[in-house]
Amino acid sequence: MPSVLGVFAHPDDESLLAGGVLARHAAGGARTAVVTATWSPGSARAAELAAALTVLGAGEPRLLGYRDARNASSAPGQDRWCDVDVDEAVARVVAHIRQFRPDVVVTHDALGQLTGHPDHRRTHQVAVLAVQAAGLGGLHPEAGEPWQASALYAATHPDSGIGGLGPLLSGVGKTLLSVPDDYATAVVDVTPWLDQKWAAISSHASQVQGERALPALLSRLDEPERARILATEYFTRLTPTPATAVQHSLTP
């Protein structure tokens, strides 16, 4: 089973968008890890992220430490992730790719998921560039020896896959951005890892206790409805790199 590196904007994105895939690959003996762009290493949300990654079997947090676009207390004194110089951001992610050497990288889609968060969109842009740059020795040589991941996937939500998420998000005034169904090139049933996924989401206690955050909205559902929402993960396979002899996939 291929190794997987997630590159996500905020603590809890990894659990909500790819928690099942991360748990499945870890259970299959693959190496898994997550790079998180925002929140400082000493914050409460960093501790929550560490707990979630332990549940998913994805190692220690790899926090870049930038500021959340919508939360000034996330990393006081640091640049907002959505404003940071692109070359700087790419170099930081390249270093993690070259150090971890994943077969597959997973990140946000170009829409920034259903709500279009600017940090999600910036993470997508940076991850696409970083996967390309990591394989080219002439770019960011200070970040380590080149490494070319064989696949890049964007977590996404197809039109027909929004399901129960629609009423949850629209009910608190959030937007709903989805992609055409044929954009979802990998549909993963993560039912066997659903308990782990929910435990990881629940590890982000500050979000579960909130009002409008998705973990809080999910926590107020009955278990069968929550399971219907979380049991399927959708991804679009992107092709930012040359074809190689080995092409890894998230699906069997």
Side-chain angles (χ1 to χ4, degrees), residues 39-214:
W39 288 79
S40 62
S43 64
R45 291 201 64 184
E48 294 171 356
L49 175 63
L53 296 181
T54 297
V55 170
L56 297 175
E60 297 295 321
R62 296 165 176 258
L63 285 154
L64 301 186
Y66 294 100
R67 187 155 47 96
D68 184 322
R70 297 173 178 169
N71 192 323
S73 67
S74 57
Q78 300 301 312
D79 291 335
R80 295 198 316 165
W81 172 239
C82 61
D83 296 334
V84 72
D85 177 78
V86 171
D87 283 341
E88 174 189 328
V90 169
R92 297 283 305 278
V93 176
V94 164
H96 283 283
I97 293 172
R98 290 178 177 170
Q99 187 276 324
F100 187 72
R101 303 172 79 81
D103 298 314
V104 175
V105 175
V106 179
T107 191
H108 297 278
D109 67 8
L111 293 174
Q113 312 311 142
L114 288 170
T115 60
H117 196 296
D119 289 338
H120 294 178
R121 294 198 300 269
R122 172 49 63 92
T123 305
H124 170 84
Q125 295 158 1
V126 169
V128 170
L129 292 173
V131 168
Q132 292 178 302
L136 300 172
L139 292 174
H140 307 293
E142 76 288 350
E145 291 298 313
W147 175 258
Q148 185 62 76
S150 69
L152 172 63
Y153 283 86
T156 196
H157 295 89
D159 295 335
S160 66
I162 293 177
L165 281 172
L168 277 185
L169 295 174
S170 62
V172 293
K174 293 191 176 185
T175 60
L176 287 172
L177 301 174
S178 57
V179 300
D181 284 2
D182 58 4
Y183 273 51
T185 56
V187 180
V188 186
D189 179 2
V190 298
T191 301
W193 300 275
L194 202 52
D195 288 345
Q196 270 180 275
K197 181 176 178 176
W198 180 239
I201 294 170
S202 299
S203 295
H204 295 281
S206 62
Q207 303 307 290
V208 173
Q209 294 161 7
E211 290 298 321
R212 298 177 72 248
L214 184 53

Side-chain angles (χ1 to χ4, degrees), residues 209-222:
Q209 294 161 7
E211 290 298 321
R212 298 177 72 248
L214 184 53
L217 300 176
L218 291 168
S219 73
R220 296 196 282 268
L221 298 177
D222 60 45

